[in-house]
Amino acid sequence: MQGAEELSTLRSRSPAHAHDLIEFTGQYINVAGLEETGADRRLRIVSCLLADIGWRSHPDYRGPQSVDNVAYGSLTGVDHPGRSFLAQVMAIRYDGLKSKSAHDLIGLGAPALTARARLIGAMFRVAYPMTAAMPGILPRIRFSIDGKTLLLHLPTDLAFLNGDHLRNRLRHFAEEAGYDASKVQVG
């Protein structure tokens, strides 16, 4: 994790936002009641630390360049399935759920690892439009579940974030996570 922390410090807009992202994703994992092994947690944390390393690249190349950085870079202590996971998260974070940037790496991990990567990447796609990588926002936003509906709770002063873009990203995340519906609640 130290290498990911250093990359975050060197390349991301705000390393503090990466730590907010760790808390945000962890809060969802807890609310959803998902099982998370130590290895799963470690990969989730590393993906949060690396989530913004491609922001300086041209938008057309952020996905592929971020995938290459994590798949073929010098991260130590990450095996091939782990690199596949990280690459898939980066591809989805930058290019969406239909991304082909990490397609060649999918077979390196178990199907459950691929599903987890898609889930984390889709969650990043919800988080970044709300924050633009600014720390201090994500700790104020929470998930909850009401039956088969995923709810995203925004405080009143962040109500302006509740637009079509956020609702669409939340809907895609909810579909990926297996919910029938999603809703943003303000207040």
Side-chain angles (χ1 to χ4, degrees):
M1 276 197 269
Q2 184 178 355
E5 188 85 48
E6 289 176 17
L7 274 173
S8 177
T9 300
L10 290 170
R11 295 189 178 172
S12 68
R13 286 173 278 193
S14 171
H17 182 267
H19 291 280
D20 288 354
L21 200 55
I22 292 167
E23 181 183 326
F24 182 72
T25 56
Q27 191 267 333
Y28 171 77
I29 300 279
N30 289 335
V31 165
L34 299 178
E35 193 173 310
E36 186 175 51
T37 66
D40 292 339
R41 182 177 184 280
R42 183 172 171 263
L43 284 173
R44 178 175 58 82
I45 290 171
V46 169
S47 67
C48 290
L49 292 169
L50 299 176
D52 202 37
I53 62 170
W55 79 276
R56 286 186 177 108
S57 300
H58 185 279
D60 291 345
Y61 306 113
R62 285 180 186 153
Q65 287 180 354
S66 296
V67 166
D68 286 351
N69 280 335
V70 298
Y72 309 114
S74 60
L75 286 175
T76 57
V78 182
D79 59 8
H80 291 303
R83 285 178 186 269
S84 170
F85 173 89
L86 295 171
Q88 290 175 70
V89 170
M90 293 297 107
I92 291 166
R93 184 265 194 257
Y94 285 112
D95 294 336
L97 287 162
K98 295 181 181 178
S99 175
K100 301 289 185 203
S101 297
H103 190 68
D104 294 342
L105 302 170
I106 290 174
L108 295 176
L113 199 59
T114 295
R116 179 74 56 131
R118 290 181 58 78
L119 186 73
I120 299 294
M123 202 176 330
F124 288 177
R125 291 184 61 77
V126 171
Y128 275 94
M130 292 189 295
T131 64
M134 290 176 30
I137 296 171
L138 287 179
R140 301 178 57 218
I141 299 168
R142 295 282 177 241
F143 287 106
S144 70
I145 299 165
D146 182 14
K148 288 285 196 176
T149 302
L150 177 65
L151 303 170
L152 182 74
H153 300 272
L154 295 175
T156 305
D157 63 319
L158 296 178
F160 66 91
L161 296 173
N162 185 13
D164 289 341
H165 188 68
L166 175 61
R167 287 191 300 272
N168 285 334
R169 294 275 178 103
L170 181 63
R171 181 175 48 83
H172 292 142
F173 171 57
E175 288 170 359
E176 191 65 32
Y179 299 98
D180 292 341
S182 62
K183 184 177 179 183
V184 176
Q185 288 195 330
V186 177

